[in-house]
Amino acid sequence: LNEVGRHAEAKATCERAAAELTEADREFGVLFAGVDIELAIAEAGLDQFGTAMARVDRGLARCAETDHPLLLGLFHEARARIAWKAGRTMEYRKSLIQMERWFRPTDTPILIARCERVAELESGGTGSRRLHWAGETTDTSLGVAATEDARQQMAEEVQTVQVGPRRSAKPT
């Protein structure tokens, strides 16, 4: 519902689901974080940015003692998207850096693609973006041909996720 702009309906659906969760349920973060994240996105879609950010921050605090890259990366992704929508550029950038910190080392193509999509918010999806990784900021301006190459690479990465990773011919 959030993806099609039906934020009020998404919020109501998530609130119903969240009402069924106990604190014990929330200990299984990967299973139930989606409810909090989608609820925060719905709130941001309704211009309730403070409430949305607080919800994501509570999720991050709840899983602060874990080193779970998917869980932490998803919360930071939501935080970056909400900060961007709210016009909080510095918070967006900090959250993007954290998202990349958790997702990129996994070498999982779909997670890296998520980083790219969130990073492109700043460039308006033009194929020009700033890469925030390992404390560096590098401007990477891609031309139309490079954008097509990036689309092809994304399609290949999605295929890799669906059928499994390609094995290198090099010995490890």
Side-chain angles (χ1 to χ4, degrees), residues 19-37:
E20 300 295 321
L21 298 177
T22 66
E23 282 306 309
D25 292 333
R26 291 179 185 283
E27 292 298 314
F28 299 94
V30 170
L31 298 176
F32 301 107
V35 173
D36 287 331
I37 289 170

Side-chain angles (χ1 to χ4, degrees), residues 68-145:
H68 197 292
L70 179 62
L71 184 60
L72 291 163
L74 289 172
F75 273 114
H76 283 293
E77 177 183 14
R79 194 172 199 291
R81 289 181 179 280
I82 292 165
W84 181 258
K85 184 167 175 43
R88 299 176 184 176
T89 306
M90 292 308 296
E91 286 183 68
Y92 156 79
R93 289 178 181 154
K94 288 177 185 177
S95 295
L96 173 61
I97 289 167
Q98 289 302 308
M99 177 190 179
E100 290 187 326
R101 173 183 168 225
W102 290 106
F103 279 174
R104 285 192 183 277
T106 69
D107 290 328
T108 305
I110 198 73
L111 298 180
I112 293 168
R114 290 177 81 104
C115 292
E116 295 297 320
R117 281 197 308 269
V118 172
E120 286 177 354
L121 291 173
E122 194 166 25
S123 67
T126 62
S128 174
R129 62 161 288 208
R130 291 206 175 280
L131 175 63
H132 306 276
W133 180 238
E136 299 176 13
T137 302
T138 308
D139 189 23
T140 58
S141 298
L142 304 173
V144 173

Side-chain angles (χ1 to χ4, degrees), residues 7-21 26 35-36 38-39 42-43 46 48 51 55:
H7 303 296
E9 289 176 69
K11 182 178 180 188
T13 300
C14 290
E15 286 174 335
R16 284 191 305 275
E20 300 295 321
L21 298 177
R26 291 179 185 283
V35 173
D36 287 331
E38 287 299 320
L39 182 51
E43 290 166 338
L46 297 170
Q48 299 168 359
T51 303
R55 184 173 307 283

Side-chain angles (χ1 to χ4, degrees), residues 36 43 50-64 75:
D36 287 331
E43 290 166 338
T51 303
M53 291 294 265
R55 184 173 307 283
V56 171
D57 288 343
R58 283 192 304 273
L60 282 166
R62 193 169 21 264
C63 60
F75 273 114

